[in-house]
Amino acid sequence: MNALNYIKLEFPSKSCNEGFARVAASAFAAQLDPTLEELGDIKTAVSEAVTNCIVHAYPESVGRIRLRMRILEGERLEISVQDWGKGIEDVDKAREPLFTTGGEERSGMGFTIMESFTDKLRVRSRPGRGTTVTMLRTIRSRMPRP
């Protein structure tokens, strides 16, 4: 798929960068003229993906997170969040609502939330090598395009 536009950002897995990732995703997605609700959905999905990296991929250390976004034909926004941390032993189990490895203070709803705010969610992971979460969201045009 050829991207009409793209960004790639890399930052440390520090909790203060979760907000940065949300704002960057929102600013990039704005060129598709999303509604405030669509923008909120994108920000929430990115926030959940980045938080998963911070909490689960690098629980005892600071690693790196890569946020990649592409605008594809058909007004589709592809969001990819990648880490090189612990990885996930059982992706299917991790995607179950309420399942968490982050202790009792975690809700276990991260993947469920990401899935509910996007059209498609793919999770690829290799234990000891990291995880990539890719989300696809179509932004419905509100204005006629020339």
Side-chain angles (χ1 to χ4, degrees):
M1 277 185 258
N2 283 341
L4 303 175
N5 198 5
Y6 71 93
I7 63 164
K8 189 185 329 182
L9 303 170
E10 195 169 288
F11 48 90
S13 63
K14 296 181 178 184
S15 59
C16 60
N17 286 331
E18 177 270 332
F20 166 74
R22 287 172 56 94
V23 171
S26 175
F28 183 76
Q31 64 193 290
L32 287 171
D33 194 28
T35 64
L36 287 176
E37 181 179 350
E38 289 169 326
L39 213 47
D41 292 351
I42 291 163
K43 288 165 66 176
T44 299
V46 167
S47 178
E48 290 295 331
V50 170
T51 298
N52 272 1
C53 295
I54 294 166
V55 171
H56 300 290
Y58 305 109
E60 306 294 324
S61 63
V62 174
R64 62 188 170 121
I65 299 171
R66 179 178 294 156
L67 169 65
R68 191 183 83 182
M69 298 178 68
R70 300 189 311 162
I71 293 178
L72 306 172
E73 291 182 7
E75 297 176 301
R76 293 176 299 150
L77 179 67
E78 181 186 69
I79 305 162
S80 176
V81 178
Q82 181 178 7
D83 68 65
W84 290 265
K86 288 176 58 173
I88 302 170
E89 291 288 334
D90 184 343
V91 171
D92 291 334
K93 183 75 173 166
R95 289 183 69 166
E96 290 178 10
L98 305 179
F99 177 82
T100 185
T101 60
E104 59 186 54
E105 71 277 357
R106 310 306 310 174
S107 71
M109 295 297 290
F111 286 129
T112 302
I113 291 168
M114 285 180 247
E115 194 164 32
S116 69
F117 286 118
T118 58
D119 299 324
K120 184 177 180 181
L121 173 71
R122 184 177 75 228
V123 181
R124 291 188 344 231
S125 189
R126 291 178 55 195
R129 303 289 296 268
T131 302
T132 302
V133 173
T134 304
M135 301 170 277
L136 196 62
R137 173 73 187 248
T138 301
I139 305 298
R140 304 287 176 221
S141 179
R142 294 181 293 140
M143 299 173 63
R145 305 269 177 183

